[in-house]
PDB file of all heavy atoms in Angstrom:
ATOM      1  N   ILE A  23    -168.540   5.587   1.804  1.00 86.00           N
ATOM      2  CA  ILE A  23    -167.622   5.371   0.680  1.00 86.00           C
ATOM      3  C   ILE A  23    -168.244   4.422  -0.341  1.00 86.00           C
ATOM      4  O   ILE A  23    -168.161   4.654  -1.553  1.00 86.00           O
ATOM      5  CB  ILE A  23    -166.259   4.841   1.182  1.00 86.00           C
ATOM      6  CG1 ILE A  23    -165.503   5.964   1.898  1.00 86.00           C
ATOM      7  CG2 ILE A  23    -165.437   4.269   0.026  1.00 86.00           C
ATOM      8  CD1 ILE A  23    -164.242   5.500   2.610  1.00 86.00           C
ATOM      9  N   ASN A  24    -168.884   3.369   0.138  1.00 79.00           N
ATOM     10  CA  ASN A  24    -169.526   2.423  -0.770  1.00 79.00           C
ATOM     11  C   ASN A  24    -170.636   3.090  -1.574  1.00 79.00           C
ATOM     12  O   ASN A  24    -170.774   2.849  -2.775  1.00 79.00           O
ATOM     13  CB  ASN A  24    -170.056   1.215  -0.001  1.00 79.00           C
ATOM     14  CG  ASN A  24    -170.532   0.130  -0.929  1.00 79.00           C
ATOM     15  OD1 ASN A  24    -169.824  -0.287  -1.828  1.00 79.00           O
ATOM     16  ND2 ASN A  24    -171.758  -0.319  -0.715  1.00 79.00           N
ATOM     17  N   MET A  25    -171.432   3.928  -0.929  1.00 73.00           N
ATOM     18  CA  MET A  25    -172.498   4.630  -1.642  1.00 73.00           C
ATOM     19  C   MET A  25    -171.920   5.520  -2.737  1.00 73.00           C
ATOM     20  O   MET A  25    -172.419   5.541  -3.866  1.00 73.00           O
ATOM     21  CB  MET A  25    -173.341   5.473  -0.671  1.00 73.00           C
ATOM     22  CG  MET A  25    -174.310   4.681   0.165  1.00 73.00           C
ATOM     23  SD  MET A  25    -175.214   5.708   1.347  1.00 73.00           S
ATOM     24  CE  MET A  25    -176.297   6.621   0.247  1.00 73.00           C
ATOM     25  N   ILE A  26    -170.869   6.263  -2.396  1.00 82.00           N
ATOM     26  CA  ILE A  26    -170.249   7.156  -3.376  1.00 82.00           C
ATOM     27  C   ILE A  26    -169.623   6.346  -4.515  1.00 82.00           C
ATOM     28  O   ILE A  26    -169.775   6.688  -5.695  1.00 82.00           O
ATOM     29  CB  ILE A  26    -169.208   8.069  -2.693  1.00 82.00           C
ATOM     30  CG1 ILE A  26    -169.921   9.034  -1.733  1.00 82.00           C
ATOM     31  CG2 ILE A  26    -168.384   8.831  -3.723  1.00 82.00           C
ATOM     32  CD1 ILE A  26    -168.993   9.797  -0.815  1.00 82.00           C
ATOM     33  N   ARG A  27    -168.927   5.261  -4.171  1.00 83.00           N
ATOM     34  CA  ARG A  27    -168.290   4.408  -5.184  1.00 83.00           C
ATOM     35  C   ARG A  27    -169.328   3.858  -6.158  1.00 83.00           C
ATOM     36  O   ARG A  27    -169.130   3.889  -7.370  1.00 83.00           O
ATOM     37  CB  ARG A  27    -167.544   3.267  -4.502  1.00 83.00           C
ATOM     38  CG  ARG A  27    -166.786   2.348  -5.461  1.00 83.00           C
ATOM     39  CD  ARG A  27    -166.157   1.170  -4.745  1.00 83.00           C
ATOM     40  NE  ARG A  27    -167.089   0.354  -3.995  1.00 83.00           N
ATOM     41  CZ  ARG A  27    -167.905  -0.544  -4.520  1.00 83.00           C
ATOM     42  NH1 ARG A  27    -167.932  -0.731  -5.818  1.00 83.00           N
ATOM     43  NH2 ARG A  27    -168.718  -1.247  -3.760  1.00 83.00           N
ATOM     44  N   GLU A  28    -170.434   3.379  -5.638  1.00 75.00           N
ATOM     45  CA  GLU A  28    -171.474   2.838  -6.503  1.00 75.00           C
ATOM     46  C   GLU A  28    -172.095   3.923  -7.375  1.00 75.00           C
ATOM     47  O   GLU A  28    -172.464   3.672  -8.517  1.00 75.00           O
ATOM     48  CB  GLU A  28    -172.556   2.145  -5.670  1.00 75.00           C
ATOM     49  CG  GLU A  28    -172.102   0.826  -5.087  1.00 75.00           C
ATOM     50  CD  GLU A  28    -173.166   0.157  -4.239  1.00 75.00           C
ATOM     51  OE1 GLU A  28    -174.319   0.639  -4.217  1.00 75.00           O
ATOM     52  OE2 GLU A  28    -172.849  -0.863  -3.600  1.00 75.00           O
ATOM     53  N   ALA A  29    -172.193   5.134  -6.841  1.00 74.00           N
ATOM     54  CA  ALA A  29    -172.809   6.226  -7.600  1.00 74.00           C
ATOM     55  C   ALA A  29    -171.955   6.655  -8.779  1.00 74.00           C
ATOM     56  O   ALA A  29    -172.489   7.055  -9.816  1.00 74.00           O
ATOM     57  CB  ALA A  29    -173.072   7.415  -6.687  1.00 74.00           C
ATOM     58  N   ILE A  30    -170.641   6.573  -8.633  1.00 80.00           N
ATOM     59  CA  ILE A  30    -169.783   7.061  -9.712  1.00 80.00           C
ATOM     60  C   ILE A  30    -169.298   5.962 -10.660  1.00 80.00           C
ATOM     61  O   ILE A  30    -168.490   6.229 -11.538  1.00 80.00           O
ATOM     62  CB  ILE A  30    -168.577   7.859  -9.163  1.00 80.00           C
ATOM     63  CG1 ILE A  30    -167.727   7.019  -8.211  1.00 80.00           C
ATOM     64  CG2 ILE A  30    -169.035   9.123  -8.498  1.00 80.00           C
ATOM     65  CD1 ILE A  30    -166.490   7.723  -7.699  1.00 80.00           C
ATOM     66  N   LYS A  31    -169.816   4.753 -10.482  1.00 76.00           N
ATOM     67  CA  LYS A  31    -169.502   3.675 -11.425  1.00 76.00           C
ATOM     68  C   LYS A  31    -169.921   4.102 -12.816  1.00 76.00           C
ATOM     69  O   LYS A  31    -170.947   4.754 -12.994  1.00 76.00           O
ATOM     70  CB  LYS A  31    -170.260   2.395 -11.060  1.00 76.00           C
ATOM     71  CG  LYS A  31    -169.603   1.544 -10.034  1.00 76.00           C
ATOM     72  CD  LYS A  31    -170.418   0.278  -9.900  1.00 76.00           C
ATOM     73  CE  LYS A  31    -169.878  -0.614  -8.820  1.00 76.00           C
ATOM     74  NZ  LYS A  31    -170.746  -1.773  -8.630  1.00 76.00           N
ATOM     75  N   GLU A  32    -169.157   3.678 -13.783  1.00 49.00           N
ATOM     76  CA  GLU A  32    -169.447   4.012 -15.174  1.00 49.00           C
ATOM     77  C   GLU A  32    -170.743   3.375 -15.652  1.00 49.00           C
ATOM     78  O   GLU A  32    -171.567   4.010 -16.273  1.00 49.00           O
ATOM     79  CB  GLU A  32    -168.293   3.560 -16.067  1.00 49.00           C
ATOM     80  CG  GLU A  32    -167.020   4.348 -15.864  1.00 49.00           C
ATOM     81  CD  GLU A  32    -167.113   5.763 -16.374  1.00 49.00           C
ATOM     82  OE1 GLU A  32    -167.791   5.993 -17.378  1.00 49.00           O
ATOM     83  OE2 GLU A  32    -166.491   6.640 -15.749  1.00 49.00           O
ATOM     84  N   ASP A  33    -170.892   2.082 -15.385  1.00 49.00           N
ATOM     85  CA  ASP A  33    -172.043   1.364 -15.921  1.00 49.00           C
ATOM     86  C   ASP A  33    -173.267   1.580 -15.045  1.00 49.00           C
ATOM     87  O   ASP A  33    -173.197   1.538 -13.846  1.00 49.00           O
ATOM     88  CB  ASP A  33    -171.749  -0.131 -16.054  1.00 49.00           C
ATOM     89  CG  ASP A  33    -171.235  -0.733 -14.749  1.00 49.00           C
ATOM     90  OD1 ASP A  33    -170.323  -0.148 -14.138  1.00 49.00           O
ATOM     91  OD2 ASP A  33    -171.752  -1.780 -14.351  1.00 49.00           O
ATOM     92  N   GLU A  34    -174.379   1.798 -15.685  1.00 51.00           N
ATOM     93  CA  GLU A  34    -175.640   1.999 -14.972  1.00 51.00           C
ATOM     94  C   GLU A  34    -176.194   0.651 -14.530  1.00 51.00           C
ATOM     95  O   GLU A  34    -176.162  -0.317 -15.278  1.00 51.00           O
ATOM     96  CB  GLU A  34    -176.670   2.687 -15.878  1.00 51.00           C
ATOM     97  CG  GLU A  34    -176.347   4.130 -16.148  1.00 51.00           C
ATOM     98  CD  GLU A  34    -176.449   4.992 -14.911  1.00 51.00           C
ATOM     99  OE1 GLU A  34    -177.345   4.766 -14.079  1.00 51.00           O
ATOM    100  OE2 GLU A  34    -175.620   5.896 -14.775  1.00 51.00           O
ATOM    101  N   GLU A  35    -176.698   0.590 -13.325  1.00 50.00           N
ATOM    102  CA  GLU A  35    -177.307  -0.636 -12.840  1.00 50.00           C
ATOM    103  C   GLU A  35    -178.698  -0.790 -13.433  1.00 50.00           C
ATOM    104  O   GLU A  35    -179.358   0.182 -13.768  1.00 50.00           O
ATOM    105  CB  GLU A  35    -177.412  -0.587 -11.309  1.00 50.00           C
ATOM    106  CG  GLU A  35    -176.074  -0.577 -10.630  1.00 50.00           C
ATOM    107  CD  GLU A  35    -176.210  -0.493  -9.119  1.00 50.00           C
ATOM    108  OE1 GLU A  35    -177.320  -0.714  -8.607  1.00 50.00           O
ATOM    109  OE2 GLU A  35    -175.210  -0.199  -8.481  1.00 50.00           O
ATOM    110  N   ASP A  36    -179.113  -2.035 -13.514  1.00 49.00           N
ATOM    111  CA  ASP A  36    -180.458  -2.315 -13.989  1.00 49.00           C
ATOM    112  C   ASP A  36    -181.449  -1.877 -12.923  1.00 49.00           C
ATOM    113  O   ASP A  36    -181.315  -2.220 -11.761  1.00 49.00           O
ATOM    114  CB  ASP A  36    -180.594  -3.821 -14.248  1.00 49.00           C
ATOM    115  CG  ASP A  36    -181.961  -4.205 -14.738  1.00 49.00           C
ATOM    116  OD1 ASP A  36    -182.662  -3.345 -15.278  1.00 49.00           O
ATOM    117  OD2 ASP A  36    -182.322  -5.391 -14.582  1.00 49.00           O
ATOM    118  N   CYS A  37    -182.415  -1.100 -13.327  1.00 52.00           N
ATOM    119  CA  CYS A  37    -183.408  -0.595 -12.382  1.00 52.00           C
ATOM    120  C   CYS A  37    -184.490  -1.624 -12.072  1.00 52.00           C
ATOM    121  O   CYS A  37    -185.303  -1.408 -11.195  1.00 52.00           O
ATOM    122  CB  CYS A  37    -184.066   0.668 -12.935  1.00 52.00           C
ATOM    123  SG  CYS A  37    -182.951   2.065 -12.968  1.00 52.00           S
ATOM    124  N   GLY A  38    -184.521  -2.702 -12.787  1.00 51.00           N
ATOM    125  CA  GLY A  38    -185.554  -3.703 -12.538  1.00 51.00           C
ATOM    126  C   GLY A  38    -186.755  -3.460 -13.417  1.00 51.00           C
ATOM    127  O   GLY A  38    -186.918  -2.412 -14.010  1.00 51.00           O
ATOM    128  N   CYS A  39    -187.583  -4.432 -13.490  1.00 55.00           N
ATOM    129  CA  CYS A  39    -188.767  -4.312 -14.333  1.00 55.00           C
ATOM    130  C   CYS A  39    -189.845  -3.501 -13.611  1.00 55.00           C
ATOM    131  O   CYS A  39    -189.661  -3.053 -12.507  1.00 55.00           O
ATOM    132  CB  CYS A  39    -189.269  -5.699 -14.709  1.00 55.00           C
ATOM    133  SG  CYS A  39    -189.971  -6.588 -13.312  1.00 55.00           S
ATOM    134  N   CYS A  40    -190.944  -3.369 -14.268  1.00 64.00           N
ATOM    135  CA  CYS A  40    -192.000  -2.527 -13.719  1.00 64.00           C
ATOM    136  C   CYS A  40    -192.870  -3.245 -12.688  1.00 64.00           C
ATOM    137  O   CYS A  40    -193.778  -2.641 -12.136  1.00 64.00           O
ATOM    138  CB  CYS A  40    -192.862  -1.983 -14.849  1.00 64.00           C
ATOM    139  SG  CYS A  40    -193.634  -3.258 -15.834  1.00 64.00           S
ATOM    140  N   SER A  41    -192.573  -4.492 -12.396  1.00 77.00           N
ATOM    141  CA  SER A  41    -193.391  -5.249 -11.455  1.00 77.00           C
ATOM    142  C   SER A  41    -193.247  -4.714 -10.025  1.00 77.00           C
ATOM    143  O   SER A  41    -192.151  -4.396  -9.582  1.00 77.00           O
ATOM    144  CB  SER A  41    -192.985  -6.724 -11.487  1.00 77.00           C
ATOM    145  OG  SER A  41    -193.684  -7.432 -10.484  1.00 77.00           O
ATOM    146  N   LEU A  42    -194.343  -4.649  -9.336  1.00 86.00           N
ATOM    147  CA  LEU A  42    -194.350  -4.276  -7.919  1.00 86.00           C
ATOM    148  C   LEU A  42    -194.768  -5.470  -7.065  1.00 86.00           C
ATOM    149  O   LEU A  42    -195.206  -5.301  -5.928  1.00 86.00           O
ATOM    150  CB  LEU A  42    -195.289  -3.094  -7.676  1.00 86.00           C
ATOM    151  CG  LEU A  42    -194.922  -1.790  -8.375  1.00 86.00           C
ATOM    152  CD1 LEU A  42    -195.932  -0.699  -8.036  1.00 86.00           C
ATOM    153  CD2 LEU A  42    -193.526  -1.340  -8.040  1.00 86.00           C
ATOM    154  N   SER A  43    -194.590  -6.677  -7.602  1.00 85.00           N
ATOM    155  CA  SER A  43    -194.956  -7.887  -6.880  1.00 85.00           C
ATOM    156  C   SER A  43    -193.992  -8.121  -5.711  1.00 85.00           C
ATOM    157  O   SER A  43    -192.889  -7.574  -5.671  1.00 85.00           O
ATOM    158  CB  SER A  43    -194.909  -9.101  -7.817  1.00 85.00           C
ATOM    159  OG  SER A  43    -193.564  -9.388  -8.165  1.00 85.00           O
ATOM    160  N   PHE A  44    -194.406  -8.959  -4.795  1.00 90.00           N
ATOM    161  CA  PHE A  44    -193.566  -9.320  -3.650  1.00 90.00           C
ATOM    162  C   PHE A  44    -192.231  -9.879  -4.127  1.00 90.00           C
ATOM    163  O   PHE A  44    -191.170  -9.526  -3.612  1.00 90.00           O
ATOM    164  CB  PHE A  44    -194.306 -10.342  -2.771  1.00 90.00           C
ATOM    165  CG  PHE A  44    -193.537 -10.764  -1.558  1.00 90.00           C
ATOM    166  CD1 PHE A  44    -193.469  -9.938  -0.445  1.00 90.00           C
ATOM    167  CD2 PHE A  44    -192.868 -11.985  -1.528  1.00 90.00           C
ATOM    168  CE1 PHE A  44    -192.754 -10.320   0.680  1.00 90.00           C
ATOM    169  CE2 PHE A  44    -192.152 -12.374  -0.410  1.00 90.00           C
ATOM    170  CZ  PHE A  44    -192.092 -11.542   0.700  1.00 90.00           C
ATOM    171  N   LYS A  45    -192.280 -10.737  -5.125  1.00 85.00           N
ATOM    172  CA  LYS A  45    -191.075 -11.375  -5.659  1.00 85.00           C
ATOM    173  C   LYS A  45    -190.106 -10.346  -6.252  1.00 85.00           C
ATOM    174  O   LYS A  45    -188.892 -10.512  -6.153  1.00 85.00           O
ATOM    175  CB  LYS A  45    -191.469 -12.401  -6.719  1.00 85.00           C
ATOM    176  CG  LYS A  45    -190.332 -13.203  -7.259  1.00 85.00           C
ATOM    177  CD  LYS A  45    -190.822 -14.231  -8.264  1.00 85.00           C
ATOM    178  CE  LYS A  45    -189.663 -15.003  -8.851  1.00 85.00           C
ATOM    179  NZ  LYS A  45    -190.106 -15.969  -9.843  1.00 85.00           N
ATOM    180  N   ALA A  46    -190.624  -9.303  -6.848  1.00 82.00           N
ATOM    181  CA  ALA A  46    -189.774  -8.268  -7.435  1.00 82.00           C
ATOM    182  C   ALA A  46    -189.299  -7.255  -6.392  1.00 82.00           C
ATOM    183  O   ALA A  46    -188.158  -6.786  -6.444  1.00 82.00           O
ATOM    184  CB  ALA A  46    -190.538  -7.532  -8.544  1.00 82.00           C
ATOM    185  N   MET A  47    -190.153  -6.927  -5.443  1.00 89.00           N
ATOM    186  CA  MET A  47    -189.833  -5.854  -4.497  1.00 89.00           C
ATOM    187  C   MET A  47    -189.009  -6.307  -3.300  1.00 89.00           C
ATOM    188  O   MET A  47    -188.192  -5.537  -2.782  1.00 89.00           O
ATOM    189  CB  MET A  47    -191.128  -5.185  -4.000  1.00 89.00           C
ATOM    190  CG  MET A  47    -191.854  -4.379  -5.055  1.00 89.00           C
ATOM    191  SD  MET A  47    -190.868  -3.022  -5.737  1.00 89.00           S
ATOM    192  CE  MET A  47    -190.591  -2.022  -4.289  1.00 89.00           C
ATOM    193  N   LEU A  48    -189.206  -7.541  -2.826  1.00 88.00           N
ATOM    194  CA  LEU A  48    -188.484  -8.003  -1.640  1.00 88.00           C
ATOM    195  C   LEU A  48    -186.962  -7.915  -1.794  1.00 88.00           C
ATOM    196  O   LEU A  48    -186.298  -7.333  -0.928  1.00 88.00           O
ATOM    197  CB  LEU A  48    -188.916  -9.422  -1.264  1.00 88.00           C
ATOM    198  CG  LEU A  48    -188.241  -9.977  -0.011  1.00 88.00           C
ATOM    199  CD1 LEU A  48    -188.638  -9.170   1.218  1.00 88.00           C
ATOM    200  CD2 LEU A  48    -188.591 -11.445   0.183  1.00 88.00           C
ATOM    201  N   PRO A  49    -186.390  -8.437  -2.885  1.00 85.00           N
ATOM    202  CA  PRO A  49    -184.929  -8.322  -3.011  1.00 85.00           C
ATOM    203  C   PRO A  49    -184.453  -6.866  -3.078  1.00 85.00           C
ATOM    204  O   PRO A  49    -183.397  -6.530  -2.533  1.00 85.00           O
ATOM    205  CB  PRO A  49    -184.612  -9.055  -4.317  1.00 85.00           C
ATOM    206  CG  PRO A  49    -185.804  -9.857  -4.642  1.00 85.00           C
ATOM    207  CD  PRO A  49    -186.973  -9.215  -3.968  1.00 85.00           C
ATOM    208  N   LEU A  50    -185.220  -6.018  -3.723  1.00 83.00           N
ATOM    209  CA  LEU A  50    -184.845  -4.604  -3.801  1.00 83.00           C
ATOM    210  C   LEU A  50    -184.903  -3.951  -2.420  1.00 83.00           C
ATOM    211  O   LEU A  50    -184.011  -3.169  -2.056  1.00 83.00           O
ATOM    212  CB  LEU A  50    -185.774  -3.850  -4.762  1.00 83.00           C
ATOM    213  CG  LEU A  50    -185.652  -4.205  -6.234  1.00 83.00           C
ATOM    214  CD1 LEU A  50    -186.739  -3.502  -7.041  1.00 83.00           C
ATOM    215  CD2 LEU A  50    -184.271  -3.858  -6.763  1.00 83.00           C
ATOM    216  N   ALA A  51    -185.939  -4.262  -1.654  1.00 89.00           N
ATOM    217  CA  ALA A  51    -186.084  -3.680  -0.318  1.00 89.00           C
ATOM    218  C   ALA A  51    -184.957  -4.139   0.601  1.00 89.00           C
ATOM    219  O   ALA A  51    -184.405  -3.338   1.371  1.00 89.00           O
ATOM    220  CB  ALA A  51    -187.446  -4.044   0.276  1.00 89.00           C
ATOM    221  N   VAL A  52    -184.599  -5.408   0.519  1.00 87.00           N
ATOM    222  CA  VAL A  52    -183.500  -5.926   1.347  1.00 87.00           C
ATOM    223  C   VAL A  52    -182.181  -5.310   0.904  1.00 87.00           C
ATOM    224  O   VAL A  52    -181.397  -4.821   1.725  1.00 87.00           O
ATOM    225  CB  VAL A  52    -183.447  -7.473   1.288  1.00 87.00           C
ATOM    226  CG1 VAL A  52    -182.192  -7.996   1.965  1.00 87.00           C
ATOM    227  CG2 VAL A  52    -184.688  -8.070   1.941  1.00 87.00           C
ATOM    228  N   ALA A  53    -181.933  -5.304  -0.401  1.00 81.00           N
ATOM    229  CA  ALA A  53    -180.663  -4.793  -0.921  1.00 81.00           C
ATOM    230  C   ALA A  53    -180.443  -3.320  -0.572  1.00 81.00           C
ATOM    231  O   ALA A  53    -179.328  -2.917  -0.240  1.00 81.00           O
ATOM    232  CB  ALA A  53    -180.600  -4.993  -2.434  1.00 81.00           C
ATOM    233  N   THR A  54    -181.502  -2.531  -0.633  1.00 83.00           N
ATOM    234  CA  THR A  54    -181.342  -1.097  -0.356  1.00 83.00           C
ATOM    235  C   THR A  54    -181.288  -0.793   1.137  1.00 83.00           C
ATOM    236  O   THR A  54    -180.988   0.334   1.523  1.00 83.00           O
ATOM    237  CB  THR A  54    -182.482  -0.269  -0.992  1.00 83.00           C
ATOM    238  OG1 THR A  54    -183.735  -0.734  -0.489  1.00 83.00           O
ATOM    239  CG2 THR A  54    -182.450  -0.366  -2.503  1.00 83.00           C
ATOM    240  N   SER A  55    -181.558  -1.783   1.978  1.00 85.00           N
ATOM    241  CA  SER A  55    -181.566  -1.524   3.419  1.00 85.00           C
ATOM    242  C   SER A  55    -180.426  -2.197   4.178  1.00 85.00           C
ATOM    243  O   SER A  55    -180.330  -2.058   5.390  1.00 85.00           O
ATOM    244  CB  SER A  55    -182.911  -1.945   4.024  1.00 85.00           C
ATOM    245  OG  SER A  55    -183.109  -3.328   3.878  1.00 85.00           O
ATOM    246  N   ILE A  56    -179.551  -2.887   3.487  1.00 81.00           N
ATOM    247  CA  ILE A  56    -178.432  -3.562   4.153  1.00 81.00           C
ATOM    248  C   ILE A  56    -177.568  -2.552   4.912  1.00 81.00           C
ATOM    249  O   ILE A  56    -177.113  -2.815   6.024  1.00 81.00           O
ATOM    250  CB  ILE A  56    -177.584  -4.355   3.131  1.00 81.00           C
ATOM    251  CG1 ILE A  56    -178.387  -5.539   2.586  1.00 81.00           C
ATOM    252  CG2 ILE A  56    -176.270  -4.822   3.741  1.00 81.00           C
ATOM    253  CD1 ILE A  56    -178.772  -6.582   3.602  1.00 81.00           C
ATOM    254  N   ASP A  57    -177.330  -1.382   4.322  1.00 81.00           N
ATOM    255  CA  ASP A  57    -176.534  -0.344   4.992  1.00 81.00           C
ATOM    256  C   ASP A  57    -177.137   0.030   6.343  1.00 81.00           C
ATOM    257  O   ASP A  57    -176.416   0.332   7.288  1.00 81.00           O
ATOM    258  CB  ASP A  57    -176.442   0.917   4.132  1.00 81.00           C
ATOM    259  CG  ASP A  57    -175.684   0.683   2.838  1.00 81.00           C
ATOM    260  OD1 ASP A  57    -175.046  -0.375   2.695  1.00 81.00           O
ATOM    261  OD2 ASP A  57    -175.724   1.576   1.975  1.00 81.00           O
ATOM    262  N   ALA A  58    -178.454   0.004   6.414  1.00 88.00           N
ATOM    263  CA  ALA A  58    -179.129   0.381   7.650  1.00 88.00           C
ATOM    264  C   ALA A  58    -178.853  -0.616   8.781  1.00 88.00           C
ATOM    265  O   ALA A  58    -178.907  -0.243   9.957  1.00 88.00           O
ATOM    266  CB  ALA A  58    -180.634   0.502   7.410  1.00 88.00           C
TER     267      ALA A  58
END
């Protein structure tokens, strides 16, 4: 339900900058894996 709710939100989330540094990627990796 949370995945579907987030997908149909009106406002688009910020995709983040183009950096692939540890500082940029670690929060994204953790955030996208909490469901797991």
Side-chain angles (χ1 to χ4, degrees):
I23 288 171
N24 189 52
M25 284 177 71
I26 293 169
R27 183 185 57 78
E28 287 179 8
I30 58 177
K31 275 185 184 175
E32 291 290 326
D33 53 312
E34 289 293 323
E35 294 179 14
D36 180 23
C37 290
C39 70
C40 59
S41 174
L42 297 181
S43 70
F44 181 78
K45 185 178 178 182
M47 291 300 298
L48 182 64
L50 292 173
V52 171
T54 58
S55 63
I56 292 297
D57 295 349

